[in-house]
Amino acid sequence: MAEHLVTPWEVKGDIDYEKLVKEFGVEKISDKLLERIQKHTKEIHFMLRRKVFFSHRDLKWLLDEYEKGNKFFLYTGRAPSGPIHLGHLLPWIMCKWLQDKFDVEMWFQFPNEEKFLFKKELSFEKAQEALNENILDVIALGFDPKKTHFLIDTKHADLFYEHACKVAKKITFNMVKASFGLDDSTNIGAIFYTSMQAVPAFLPSVLKGKNIPCLIPLGVDQDPHFRLTRDIMPKLGYYKPSIIHSMFLPPLSGVEGKTSSSSSDKNVILTTDSPKEVKNKINKYAFSGGQPTLEEHRKKGGNPDIDVCFQYLRMLLEEDDKKLEQIYKDYKSGKLLTGELKKYTIDKINEFLKKHQEKREKAKKKINDFIYKK
Ligand code: TRP
């Protein structure tokens, strides 16, 4: 098995989440912790139940504070560089659910300079085109405009800069090198960047003049940023932010690793794909856990654990546990064929995307309601 690599800039190899928990020094989300969340939320989101969100930092402390009446706010983000695919949606769907269940504010950062700084070939203008598109996908997920604030790094630079400098003063080049694998040839914008990503974890506290706990749902590759941030925030007088980490939705090829839109649009389902594109991509590219021939499949059964369609159902599309279990069993026994599983998944994706695309269209008129205004 290839060694995995998980950094904010690169995710490679067969990701071993157990190992990652040890490497990153995070805690697994236990059933006991889920029960504690459920006391407040009544139900428990399937992504939590199925441990798609598998680990955390200081979630117990966050709940202690909440139970004392000290509400938290949510923070997550998206650095625009290209289109949104299904994998990007996992933390955002979780944020929407948490916002509804805990009735909390959500701060969403669009670091519109990040990918410009890190990707040699990306122009600033191209990143802004992506920004305008990406914003629509976030709004389409249904966040409450009264409780949701978008921060765009260059647009809100006056809010960010002072605080980014306060963070930056506590980070040496050596620390950034060690955390992110940067080196002497890295441009100085990229070296500074992590201090921009730290700011929204305490900006609401600054703006409201009181210390507010923060919960960051994120893809686990983003954790290194907040390891640094968590060390620094108490030094600036703020709580350490809590974090919940999600796994990566696999790319269609099933090659282990994060679903990366930059690798190839063929290898992912984009939120703007048509029903026909979805059908073609799944049929052509979705890695299957089935047997090579129908006879063999009927006899030996398939392997849902490595089947990309099954993973899409488990991690994102099939909310019904009973249905999912039936599919698992039937695929494993050979009763359900690969073609049938693919058809079911295609229909599920298209059903999801039809609604998403309608809401995405309507979002064009709502952008202004979400951008933070001082
Ligand atoms: N760096 C993230 C990306 O590459 C964007 C981001 C900004 C983010 N702030 C965040 C992600 C907070 C998770 C949590 O898309």
Side-chain angles (χ1 to χ4, degrees):
M1 194 162 72
E3 283 280 301
H4 68 209
L5 176 75
V6 179
T7 75
W9 336 113
E10 199 180 4
V11 177
K12 263 195 332 214
D14 188 353
I15 294 153
D16 180 340
Y17 290 100
E18 291 289 332
K19 210 168 130 200
L20 210 58
V21 165
K22 293 202 191 89
E23 273 171 26
F24 279 19
V26 296
E27 265 184 82
K28 285 213 248 179
I29 297 181
S30 66
D31 291 333
K32 217 171 117 207
L33 200 48
L34 291 184
E35 275 167 33
R36 203 167 155 204
I37 294 172
Q38 194 165 3
K39 271 203 304 210
H40 302 289
T41 57
K42 305 295 176 270
E43 50 176 24
I44 203 84
H45 195 276
F46 70 89
M47 288 181 193
L48 285 166
R49 211 162 55 224
R50 296 179 193 160
K51 308 280 165 78
V52 175
F53 281 80
F54 65 104
S55 66
H56 74 97
R57 292 181 187 273
D58 278 342
L59 187 54
K60 287 177 201 142
W61 171 83
L62 190 92
L63 291 170
D64 288 343
E65 289 300 311
Y66 184 79
E67 285 165 11
K68 286 188 234 160
N70 196 9
K71 258 195 188 185
F72 58 90
F73 68 90
L74 294 160
Y75 162 39
T76 196
R78 156 75 185 165
S81 63
I84 299 299
H85 59 65
L86 294 181
H88 290 129
L89 303 181
L90 301 183
W92 309 346
I93 289 172
M94 184 49 60
C95 284
K96 153 75 179 151
W97 185 80
L98 291 166
Q99 174 172 73
D100 288 350
K101 295 292 168 184
F102 286 96
D103 185 30
V104 290
E105 285 201 357
M106 154 94 195
W107 291 76
F108 198 107
Q109 179 182 28
F110 291 94
N112 56 327
E113 83 287 34
E114 178 186 347
K115 293 291 156 70
F116 165 71
L117 291 170
F118 281 91
K119 290 183 173 216
K120 225 188 193 132
E121 62 311 337
L122 184 70
S123 70
F124 197 80
E125 290 67 31
K126 274 268 175 283
Q128 306 325 295
E129 284 168 28
L131 168 70
N132 294 331
E133 290 295 314
N134 293 178
I135 280 180
L136 302 177
D137 285 291
V138 177
I139 294 176
L141 294 176
F143 292 103
D144 179 349
K146 287 192 221 73
K147 293 195 200 98
T148 306
H149 311 287
F150 289 177
L151 295 167
I152 300 168
D153 285 16
T154 59
K155 188 177 168 69
H156 293 104
D158 51 347
L159 277 180
F160 271 90
Y161 193 57
E162 173 189 339
H163 304 292
C165 285
K166 288 179 181 168
V167 173
K169 196 174 175 180
K170 305 245 178 267
I171 304 178
T172 65
F173 187 23
N174 271 327
M175 286 158 74
V176 178
K177 278 185 188 169
S179 298
F180 302 118
L182 307 180
D183 61 34
D184 287 358
S185 69
T186 306
N187 74 67
I188 61 174
I191 296 163
F192 179 76
Y193 171 72
T194 193
S195 48
M196 290 296 283
Q197 189 156 322
V199 172
F202 62 94
L203 188 65
S205 295
V206 173
L207 295 170
K208 298 210 168 107
K210 62 171 185 188
N211 216 344
I212 314 172
C214 169
L215 173 63
I216 314 175
L218 45 67
V220 65
D221 58 314
Q222 294 294 313
D223 185 75
H225 281 295
F226 295 106
R227 248 178 274 160
L228 275 179
T229 302
R230 278 167 49 85
D231 285 344
I232 291 163
M233 276 176 48
K235 295 181 189 156
L236 299 178
Y238 303 103
Y239 299 130
K240 288 184 180 188
S242 299
I243 303 173
I244 53 173
H245 308 93
S246 79
M247 294 181 172
F248 307 118
L249 190 75
L252 293 176
S253 62
V255 209
E256 302 86 3
K258 166 164 122 161
T259 292
S260 169
S261 50
S262 50
S263 55
S264 157
D265 286 353
K266 281 186 193 149
N267 209 7
V268 295
I269 304 289
L270 302 177
T271 58
T272 48
D273 279 347
S274 69
K276 216 169 139 194
E277 280 167 318
V278 169
K279 187 174 171 205
N280 282 339
K281 283 183 182 179
I282 293 289
N283 282 333
K284 260 199 190 152
Y285 307 113
F287 181 80
S288 154
Q291 302 295 346
T293 66
L294 195 140
E295 291 72 40
E296 245 180 289
H297 190 85
R298 289 281 190 224
K299 212 163 85 198
K300 294 186 192 153
N303 182 355
D305 295 316
I306 59 165
D307 188 277
V308 166
C309 283
F310 184 80
Q311 292 312 320
Y312 278 40
L313 295 176
R314 184 181 78 82
M315 296 177 77
L316 179 68
L317 298 159
E318 183 54 77
E319 294 186 28
D320 184 337
D321 283 350
K322 284 210 185 86
K323 200 134 196 203
L324 188 75
E325 205 188 311
Q326 195 62 49
I327 292 170
Y328 189 91
K329 278 191 193 145
D330 288 349
Y331 197 60
K332 215 169 167 118
S333 74
K335 190 172 160 203
L336 186 69
L337 300 174
T338 295
E340 293 167 334
L341 178 57
K342 285 200 169 184
K343 166 95 174 54
Y344 186 79
T345 308
I346 291 164
D347 290 347
K348 275 280 185 191
I349 296 174
N350 283 334
E351 201 184 300
F352 174 85
L353 286 185
K354 184 168 184 283
K355 287 191 212 123
H356 185 81
Q357 287 166 7
E358 281 165 15
K359 288 182 277 182
R360 207 178 172 282
E361 249 334 279
K362 291 198 185 119
K364 290 180 180 163
K365 291 204 194 80
K366 299 187 191 160
I367 297 172
N368 207 27
D369 303 340
F370 285 89
I371 309 252
Y372 180 71
K373 284 167 212 78
K374 283 165 272 175

